[in-house]
Amino acid sequence: MPAPQPRSRARDRNNVLNRAEFLSLNQPLKGNQESRSSSRKQSGQAGAAGAQNSNPKERRQSQQLPEEDCMQLNPSFKGIAFNSLLAIDICMSKRLGVCANTASSWGGARSMINLLGITGHGIPWIAGTLICLVKSSTLAGQEVLMNLLLALLLDIMSVAGLQKLAKRKGPYDVNPGLLDYLTMDTYAFPAGHASRAAMLSKFFLNHLVLAIPLRILLVLWALCVGFSRVMIGRHHITDVLSGFVFGYLQFRLVELIWMSSNTCQMLISIW
């Protein structure tokens, strides 16, 4: 009777399915389970130790995150009012950009609106002022023209500096022209044409003797130049309004630093 036991053991040894590599497919080895469980415990302990050893500042920041989110979800009244006015400005500026491109509702009048904008550009005004200064023979005329040239240069430099600081883009993706690049008028805030037109109109109203119809036309010209920049999509409404205010402030500054006739004659002789 003891003979069958050695035979069954020999069969089990010869059976290929009883090998360890095949048994692991159906029944995982105990050693592997123990190693896996131990590695999981070690990783869990390491994570707990890392959480305990974390910086207390990070804990405070994590605790403050919900409060910061609540502050963002509940902005102040000033923030709501500012964002609402900004949204209205952008919406109205886009609607008034009727000549922003050839496909717009007034696309056929784009060239005429651009020509109106050129009348308020700095390069033609500086060139015309220099020509008049060369041909002028009176001391009073040279004094006015020299101060006008100072006002134009001050306007170009100050507007270019403010635009570089603000870096606000226009309501439409309109590429600046060659004259705009020459005067560094590449951004939207403030509108350089509007500030220049306001400054020039106020300057001429104060230092030239003009009839009432011409004075009215001069003011209308300044308004048309400013809002023509909105029509071609280069500036927002607030950019133009701020340009008008800034042009008036420039005029007041030029009046404060007004150069006398002797100073103008000295500069002309040096030039």
Side-chain angles (χ1 to χ4, degrees):
M1 295 298 295
Q5 292 181 358
R7 293 180 181 176
S8 61
R9 291 177 182 175
R11 291 175 183 175
D12 294 335
R13 291 175 183 174
N14 295 327
N15 191 1
V16 179
L17 297 176
N18 289 331
R19 294 181 182 178
E21 57 269 22
F22 290 99
L23 288 173
S24 62
L25 296 174
N26 297 323
Q27 297 178 357
L29 297 177
K30 295 181 179 180
N32 294 333
Q33 290 180 351
E34 292 176 356
S35 62
R36 290 176 183 175
S37 61
S38 62
S39 63
R40 289 177 183 174
K41 290 179 181 179
Q42 291 176 358
S43 61
Q45 292 175 357
Q52 291 177 357
N53 296 329
S54 60
N55 195 350
K57 292 183 179 180
E58 295 180 357
R59 295 181 184 176
R60 294 176 184 175
Q61 290 178 358
S62 63
Q63 293 176 358
Q64 291 176 359
L65 283 177
E67 296 179 1
E68 294 176 358
D69 294 339
C70 292
M71 292 297 292
Q72 292 178 359
L73 292 174
N74 297 302
S76 61
F77 176 77
K78 292 181 180 179
I80 295 174
F82 178 76
N83 292 331
S84 300
L85 291 176
L86 186 62
I88 294 172
D89 178 36
I90 295 173
C91 181
M92 293 299 295
S93 300
K94 285 184 175 292
R95 289 188 177 183
L96 291 176
V98 293
C99 301
N101 47 55
T102 56
S104 301
S105 57
W106 289 16
R110 181 177 171 80
S111 58
M112 184 178 64
I113 300 299
N114 279 326
L115 183 61
L116 179 61
I118 291 175
T119 61
H121 205 281
I123 299 297
W125 277 102
I126 290 176
T129 303
L130 289 174
I131 293 172
C132 293
L133 186 61
V134 171
K135 293 184 177 181
S136 178
S137 58
T138 61
L139 296 178
Q142 292 176 356
E143 179 183 351
V144 172
L145 290 172
M146 281 296 296
N147 285 279
L148 177 60
L149 182 62
L150 173 65
L152 290 170
L153 294 176
L154 179 65
D155 175 76
I156 290 176
M157 291 186 294
S158 56
V159 168
L162 287 175
Q163 287 186 357
K164 290 294 183 181
L165 290 175
K167 291 184 178 181
R168 187 188 188 189
K169 296 183 179 180
Y172 289 91
D173 190 11
V174 179
N175 294 324
L178 178 60
L179 295 178
D180 295 329
Y181 280 111
L182 291 176
T183 56
M184 296 175 289
D185 187 9
T186 56
Y187 291 101
F189 180 87
H193 289 69
S195 67
R196 199 170 301 112
M199 184 268 297
L200 288 171
S201 62
K202 185 63 178 174
F203 189 93
F204 290 148
L205 288 174
N206 274 37
H207 296 285
L208 294 180
V209 179
L210 300 174
I212 294 179
L214 291 177
R215 297 172 75 90
I216 295 174
L217 288 176
L218 190 59
V219 174
L220 290 177
W221 167 79
L223 294 174
C224 291
V225 168
F227 284 101
S228 68
R229 308 301 288 173
V230 180
M231 295 177 66
I232 64 172
R234 281 280 284 116
H235 296 279
H236 299 87
I237 298 175
T238 53
D239 300 333
V240 173
L241 295 178
S242 61
F244 287 150
V245 174
F246 191 68
Y248 176 77
L249 294 177
Q250 285 179 341
F251 165 76
R252 299 301 301 174
L253 179 60
V254 171
E255 291 291 316
L256 290 175
I257 60 174
W258 184 269
M259 294 184 296
S260 63
S261 179
N262 295 329
T263 305
C264 294
Q265 291 300 317
M266 181 183 66
L267 292 175
I268 291 173
S269 61
I270 294 172
W271 179 50

